[in-house]
Protein backbone atom coordinates (compact mmCIF):
# COMPACT_ATOMS: atom_id res chain seq x y z
CA UNK A 1 0.00 0.00 0.00
CA UNK A 2 0.95 3.65 -0.19
CA UNK A 3 0.20 5.67 2.91
CA UNK A 4 -0.64 9.29 2.22
CA UNK A 5 0.13 11.55 5.16
CA UNK A 6 -2.68 13.90 4.12
CA UNK A 7 -5.51 11.42 3.48
CA UNK A 8 -4.58 9.10 6.42
CA UNK A 9 -5.35 5.75 4.79
CA UNK A 10 -4.62 3.74 7.96
CA UNK A 11 -6.40 4.09 11.31
CA UNK A 12 -3.04 4.63 13.05
CA UNK A 13 -0.17 6.72 11.70
CA UNK A 14 2.70 4.31 10.79
CA UNK A 15 5.46 6.95 10.84
CA UNK A 16 6.89 6.19 14.29
CA UNK A 17 6.67 2.45 13.62
CA UNK A 18 8.80 2.90 10.49
CA UNK A 19 11.35 5.35 11.89
CA UNK A 20 12.17 2.83 14.62
CA UNK A 21 13.51 1.76 16.95
CA UNK A 22 14.65 5.18 18.13
CA UNK A 23 17.10 5.84 20.98
CA UNK A 24 15.70 7.75 23.94
CA UNK A 25 17.33 10.94 25.16
CA UNK A 26 16.45 11.11 28.86
CA UNK A 27 17.10 14.83 29.20
CA UNK A 28 17.74 16.63 32.47
CA UNK A 29 18.14 20.40 32.58
CA UNK A 30 18.15 23.28 35.07
CA UNK A 31 16.33 26.57 34.61
CA UNK A 32 17.94 29.93 35.31
CA UNK A 33 16.32 29.84 38.78
CA UNK A 34 17.57 26.32 39.50
CA UNK A 35 14.38 24.32 38.85
CA UNK A 36 15.17 20.77 37.70
CA UNK A 37 13.42 19.01 34.81
CA UNK A 38 13.70 15.45 33.49
CA UNK A 39 11.94 14.15 30.37
CA UNK A 40 12.43 11.36 27.80
CA UNK A 41 12.63 12.23 24.09
CA UNK A 42 12.51 9.58 21.37
CA UNK A 43 13.21 12.12 18.64
CA UNK A 44 16.84 12.04 19.76
CA UNK A 45 20.16 11.01 18.25
CA UNK A 46 23.81 11.76 17.76
CA UNK A 47 24.52 14.10 14.86
CA UNK A 48 28.34 14.29 14.85
CA UNK A 49 31.41 12.85 16.52
CA UNK A 50 34.17 15.43 15.93
CA UNK A 51 33.16 17.18 18.10
CA UNK A 52 30.47 14.94 19.56
CA UNK A 53 26.99 16.47 19.20
CA UNK A 54 23.46 15.30 19.96
CA UNK A 55 20.00 16.62 19.28
CA UNK A 56 16.53 16.16 20.68
CA UNK A 57 13.32 17.47 19.18
CA UNK A 58 10.52 18.85 21.35
CA UNK A 59 6.85 19.23 20.40
CA UNK A 60 6.34 22.77 21.62
CA UNK A 61 8.64 24.73 23.88
CA UNK A 62 8.56 22.39 26.86
CA UNK A 63 10.63 22.68 30.04
CA UNK A 64 13.53 20.53 28.82
CA UNK A 65 13.98 22.89 25.89
CA UNK A 66 13.53 26.16 27.77
CA UNK A 67 15.64 25.01 30.73
CA UNK A 68 18.46 23.91 28.40
CA UNK A 69 18.39 27.36 26.83
CA UNK A 70 18.22 29.19 30.17
CA UNK A 71 20.96 27.16 31.85
CA UNK A 72 22.99 26.59 28.69
CA UNK A 73 23.43 22.89 29.53
CA UNK A 74 21.64 19.56 29.61
CA UNK A 75 22.38 15.87 30.26
CA UNK A 76 21.15 12.84 28.31
CA UNK A 77 21.00 9.77 30.56
CA UNK A 78 20.70 6.31 29.00
CA UNK A 79 17.25 4.76 29.52
CA UNK A 80 17.47 1.00 30.04
CA UNK A 81 15.18 -1.94 30.69
CA UNK A 82 15.94 -1.67 34.41
CA UNK A 83 14.99 2.03 34.49
CA UNK A 84 11.99 1.77 32.14
CA UNK A 85 9.35 2.47 34.80
CA UNK A 86 11.11 5.59 36.06
CA UNK A 87 11.63 6.78 32.49
CA UNK A 88 7.94 6.36 31.76
CA UNK A 89 6.91 8.13 34.97
CA UNK A 90 9.17 11.07 34.13
CA UNK A 91 7.13 11.69 30.96
CA UNK A 92 4.15 12.86 33.03
CA UNK A 93 2.99 16.42 32.16
CA UNK A 94 3.87 18.09 35.46
CA UNK A 95 3.57 21.84 36.10
CA UNK A 96 6.59 23.94 35.17
CA UNK A 97 9.28 23.74 37.85
CA UNK A 98 7.99 20.55 39.51
CA UNK A 99 10.77 17.96 39.51
CA UNK A 100 10.18 14.73 37.61
CA UNK A 101 13.04 13.21 39.61
CA UNK A 102 10.90 13.54 42.74
CA UNK A 103 7.69 12.48 41.01
CA UNK A 104 9.27 9.30 39.58
CA UNK A 105 11.31 8.58 42.75
CA UNK A 106 14.59 8.78 40.84
CA UNK A 107 17.89 9.62 42.50
CA UNK A 108 20.23 12.20 41.00
CA UNK A 109 23.99 11.97 40.62
CA UNK A 110 26.25 14.99 40.06
CA UNK A 111 27.64 15.64 36.62
CA UNK A 112 31.32 16.40 36.11
CA UNK A 113 31.32 19.44 33.80
CA UNK A 114 27.73 20.74 33.76
CA UNK A 115 25.23 21.76 36.46
CA UNK A 116 22.26 19.48 35.66
CA UNK A 117 22.57 16.07 37.34
CA UNK A 118 22.22 12.72 35.62
CA UNK A 119 19.92 9.86 36.58
CA UNK A 120 21.90 7.97 39.21
CA UNK A 121 20.74 4.51 38.09
CA UNK A 122 21.52 5.14 34.42
CA UNK A 123 24.64 3.25 33.29
CA UNK A 124 25.74 6.09 31.00
CA UNK A 125 25.10 9.78 30.45
CA UNK A 126 26.18 12.52 28.06
CA UNK A 127 26.88 15.95 29.54
CA UNK A 128 26.13 18.66 26.98
CA UNK A 129 26.52 22.37 26.39
CA UNK A 130 23.53 23.87 24.62
CA UNK A 131 24.48 25.19 21.16
CA UNK A 132 21.25 26.25 19.46
CA UNK A 133 17.54 25.64 19.07
CA UNK A 134 16.15 25.38 15.55
CA UNK A 135 12.41 25.86 14.85
CA UNK A 136 11.34 23.11 12.41
CA UNK A 137 9.13 25.08 10.02
CA UNK A 138 7.07 22.78 7.72
CA UNK A 139 7.42 22.88 3.94
CA UNK A 140 4.21 24.85 3.51
CA UNK A 141 5.36 27.52 5.94
CA UNK A 142 3.62 28.66 9.08
CA UNK A 143 4.49 28.27 12.74
CA UNK A 144 6.91 25.56 13.85
CA UNK A 145 5.38 22.84 16.03
CA UNK A 146 8.70 21.12 16.76
CA UNK A 147 11.97 22.62 17.96
CA UNK A 148 15.32 20.83 17.58
CA UNK A 149 17.80 21.39 20.40
CA UNK A 150 21.48 20.79 19.60
CA UNK A 151 24.15 20.27 22.23
CA UNK A 152 27.86 19.52 22.25
CA UNK A 153 28.99 16.66 24.48
CA UNK A 154 31.66 17.83 26.92
CA UNK A 155 31.86 14.76 29.16
CA UNK A 156 30.55 11.19 29.20
CA UNK A 157 29.75 9.07 32.24
CA UNK A 158 30.03 5.29 31.76
CA UNK A 159 29.54 2.71 34.50
CA UNK A 160 32.83 0.79 34.71
CA UNK A 161 30.94 -2.52 34.70
CA UNK A 162 30.10 -2.02 31.03
CA UNK A 163 33.60 -1.29 29.75
CA UNK A 164 35.29 -4.38 28.31
CA UNK A 165 38.96 -5.30 28.94
CA UNK A 166 39.63 -4.04 25.39
CA UNK A 167 38.30 -0.61 26.33
CA UNK A 168 35.00 -0.82 24.44
CA UNK A 169 31.54 -0.08 25.78
CA UNK A 170 29.31 -3.19 25.91
CA UNK A 171 26.12 -1.45 24.83
CA UNK A 172 24.02 -4.61 24.81
CA UNK A 173 24.90 -5.46 28.41
CA UNK A 174 23.29 -2.17 29.50
CA UNK A 175 20.05 -3.24 27.79
CA UNK A 176 19.06 0.22 26.49
CA UNK A 177 15.43 0.61 25.49
CA UNK A 178 14.39 2.09 22.17
CA UNK A 179 11.05 3.55 21.12
CA UNK A 180 8.89 2.08 18.38
CA UNK A 181 5.48 3.13 17.12
CA UNK A 182 2.29 3.28 19.14
CA UNK A 183 3.12 2.12 22.72
CA UNK A 184 5.95 -0.20 21.64
CA UNK A 185 9.48 -0.34 23.02
CA UNK A 186 12.45 -2.55 22.12
CA UNK A 187 15.58 -3.59 23.98
CA UNK A 188 19.13 -3.86 22.68
CA UNK A 189 20.70 -7.20 23.66
CA UNK A 190 24.34 -8.33 23.37
CA UNK A 191 23.38 -11.62 21.72
CA UNK A 192 21.80 -9.73 18.80
CA UNK A 193 24.97 -7.79 18.03
CA UNK A 194 26.84 -8.39 14.78
CA UNK A 195 29.78 -6.62 13.21
CA UNK A 196 30.27 -5.34 9.66
CA UNK A 197 33.22 -3.41 8.25
CA UNK A 198 32.82 -0.72 5.63
CA UNK A 199 34.08 -1.95 2.23
CA UNK A 200 37.23 -0.47 0.78
CA UNK A 201 36.70 1.85 -2.19
CA UNK A 202 37.61 0.60 -5.66
CA UNK A 203 36.72 0.76 -9.32
CA UNK A 204 34.24 3.48 -10.21
CA UNK A 205 32.75 3.67 -6.73
CA UNK A 206 33.29 7.24 -5.46
CA UNK A 207 35.15 7.50 -2.19
CA UNK A 208 33.41 9.23 0.68
Amino acid sequence: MHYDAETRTLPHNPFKALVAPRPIGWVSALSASGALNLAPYSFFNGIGDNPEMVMFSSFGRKDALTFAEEGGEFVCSLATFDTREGMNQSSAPLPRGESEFDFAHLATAPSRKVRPPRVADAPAALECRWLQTIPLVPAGGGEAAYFMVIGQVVSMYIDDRFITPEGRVDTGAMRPIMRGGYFDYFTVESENRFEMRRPAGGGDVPKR
Side-chain angles (χ1 to χ4, degrees):
M1 70 169 296
H2 178 80
Y3 179 83
D4 191 309
E6 294 180 350
T7 58
R8 305 287 182 179
T9 49
L10 282 174
H12 303 284
N13 189 342
F15 175 75
K16 292 181 180 179
L18 299 175
V19 185
R22 301 183 305 281
I24 297 170
W26 204 2
V27 177
S28 54
L30 284 169
S31 71
S33 63
L36 178 59
N37 180 261
L38 176 68
Y41 286 86
S42 68
F43 288 137
F44 163 82
N45 221 314
I47 55 173
D49 65 355
N50 187 25
E52 295 86 0
M53 295 185 185
V54 296
M55 74 85 194
F56 70 92
S57 181
S58 172
F59 179 66
R61 292 186 56 84
K62 297 180 180 177
D63 285 356
L65 181 157
T66 57
F67 286 15
E69 291 176 340
E70 290 178 15
E73 302 168 333
F74 61 92
V75 176
C76 300
S77 295
L78 186 67
T80 66
F81 187 78
D82 289 342
T83 62
R84 66 192 185 281
E85 295 296 342
M87 181 279 300
N88 191 45
Q89 287 293 308
S90 70
S91 68
L94 303 182
R96 177 182 171 87
E98 185 173 335
S99 173
E100 288 78 9
F101 278 98
D102 294 338
F103 179 80
H105 305 291
L106 292 165
T108 64
S111 297
R112 183 183 178 195
K113 289 190 174 181
V114 299
R115 291 175 59 237
R118 59 181 171 84
V119 176
D121 289 338
L126 307 175
E127 301 178 16
C128 303
R129 305 279 188 201
W130 174 82
L131 293 179
Q132 60 178 311
T133 300
I134 302 174
L136 301 180
V137 178
E143 294 293 326
Y146 280 87
F147 298 83
M148 182 169 63
V149 178
I150 299 177
Q152 181 171 327
V153 180
V154 295
S155 185
M156 305 181 201
Y157 164 76
I158 307 165
D159 189 320
D160 290 337
R161 294 177 298 163
F162 301 105
I163 299 178
T164 70
E166 297 79 27
R168 295 188 177 190
V169 174
D170 189 348
T171 308
M174 299 186 200
R175 300 187 74 194
I177 54 175
M178 319 274 287
R179 190 68 197 268
Y182 322 114
F183 300 107
D184 297 340
Y185 287 83
F186 300 85
T187 59
V188 175
E189 308 283 351
S190 294
E191 55 266 30
N192 295 327
R193 179 181 60 228
F194 62 94
E195 186 173 294
M196 296 177 69
R197 300 297 177 102
R198 184 177 295 175
D204 296 329
V205 179
K207 294 183 179 180
R208 294 184 177 179

